[in-house]
Amino acid sequence: GVQTCALPILTLGGVFTPRFIPGFNLSVDYYRIRVNNLIATLGGQTILNLCYDLPQPNQYCGLIFPRNPDFTFASPALISGGVNYAKQKADGIDVEVGYRKQWTPDFRTDSRLIATYVLKRENYTSPTNPNFATQQLFNLGDPELAANFATTFTYKNFDLRYSVNYVGRQIIGAYENYYSYQGRDPTNADLTAEVWYPERWIQNLRLNVRVNKKYSFYTGVDNFTDQLPPLGLIGNEGGNGFDPIGRYWYAGFRADF
């Protein structure tokens, strides 16, 4: 059998809670992960890219079925199954900031920011060349920066919550299509007119009214600026983080018995 071997994972972090700012906390964590003999499930586009990029024959082309005699796609056309990586590397920084304050007996605020900044994410996917790396960072589903901020204003029985999700830019296709990597030339620099999917800010509002200890009503609107997936995406490709629905209104009530 194949054994997955993780090398030591390095994490460094700290928490800052200053006395001169009551209710404030800041945590910062740096991680460095190295994994050998990794078995992972790849997305369809990644399998196609690796089949094309790596020397032939390779294990990724074996997951793709040829077209039918009438040129229609086979069913299935591709198997997104487990494959062996030589190794994987990931470095990044996670930040969390919180601030809670009671301004008056009836009014308080509670805010929190969570952000992830990826420094490195690459896969060594060649079964014949363990030093051959492909960059996962910036590919669809792996932005360099992603963040979520939320703040709640509470006045007596009313809670108003604002939140925003940030998804950084992501590249169309594979990074190596457009940019040199490990000294290799781009594989297809003019593949598309646009190179990057643009960043997105998804903003939401929610109002909650507590009638008493048992009953409450709420209403809200998600993605109130109606930010749709860019450049023909439909929002479910490769964990890209884009909102596929657009502006969405809702309302309801809660009863505790």
Side-chain angles (χ1 to χ4, degrees), residues 9-193:
I9 299 174
L10 172 65
T11 58
L12 300 173
V15 179
F16 180 55
T17 54
R19 294 182 179 179
F20 56 86
I21 310 180
F24 176 85
N25 64 84
L26 167 67
S27 66
V28 180
D29 295 284
Y30 166 78
Y31 62 86
R32 180 179 183 272
I33 302 173
R34 302 292 183 267
V35 181
N36 283 342
N37 298 326
L38 176 68
I39 301 176
T41 299
L42 302 179
Q45 185 61 54
T46 301
I47 292 174
L48 289 170
N49 293 340
L50 292 172
C51 171
Y52 178 81
D53 293 339
L54 293 177
Q56 304 280 339
N58 60 66
Q59 60 178 331
Y60 304 100
C61 291
L63 300 174
I64 303 171
F65 295 95
R67 289 181 181 243
N68 297 320
D70 60 357
F71 300 104
T72 59
F73 287 106
S75 181
L78 180 149
I79 297 177
S80 181
V83 294
N84 292 323
Y85 282 19
K87 56 187 173 182
Q88 185 179 68
K89 296 181 179 180
D91 299 353
I93 299 173
D94 293 332
V95 177
E96 183 172 352
V97 183
Y99 182 58
R100 181 183 178 92
K101 184 173 177 62
Q102 189 79 39
W103 300 89
T104 71
D106 294 329
F107 178 66
R108 72 175 185 271
T109 57
D110 190 352
S111 303
R112 185 163 302 277
L113 168 70
I114 300 175
T116 297
Y117 183 77
V118 181
L119 301 171
K120 174 188 293 187
R121 184 165 294 166
E122 59 184 13
N123 303 316
Y124 291 76
T125 53
S126 173
T128 58
N129 183 1
N131 296 317
F132 184 97
T134 58
Q135 176 157 299
Q136 184 175 336
L137 178 61
F138 288 119
N139 287 348
L140 194 60
D142 291 284
E144 182 181 47
L145 178 63
N148 173 268
F149 172 77
T151 186
T152 302
F153 303 91
T154 300
Y155 179 72
K156 293 186 178 180
N157 294 335
F158 297 87
D159 301 320
L160 178 62
R161 185 177 189 270
Y162 167 80
S163 64
V164 55
N165 300 320
Y166 171 78
V167 180
R169 65 175 188 165
Q170 299 162 79
I171 204 163
I172 299 173
Y175 183 88
E176 291 81 3
N177 285 338
Y178 308 95
Y179 300 102
S180 174
Y181 200 67
Q182 286 191 323
R184 304 189 302 268
D185 291 333
T187 59
N188 195 357
D190 58 353
L191 175 65
T192 56

Side-chain angles (χ1 to χ4, degrees), residues 194-206:
E194 300 287 344
V195 176
W196 296 92
Y197 294 115
E199 63 185 14
R200 278 291 187 266
W201 299 82
I202 308 299
Q203 303 179 75
N204 315 295
L205 281 172
R206 175 185 171 108

Side-chain angles (χ1 to χ4, degrees), residues 202 204 221-229 233-236 240-250:
I202 308 299
N204 315 295
V221 54
D222 288 348
N223 191 3
F224 61 78
T225 58
D226 200 24
Q227 297 290 302
L228 298 176
L233 294 178
I234 60 175
N236 62 357
N240 58 63
F242 297 120
D243 180 11
I245 299 176
R247 186 183 295 115
Y248 178 76
W249 296 85
Y250 62 90

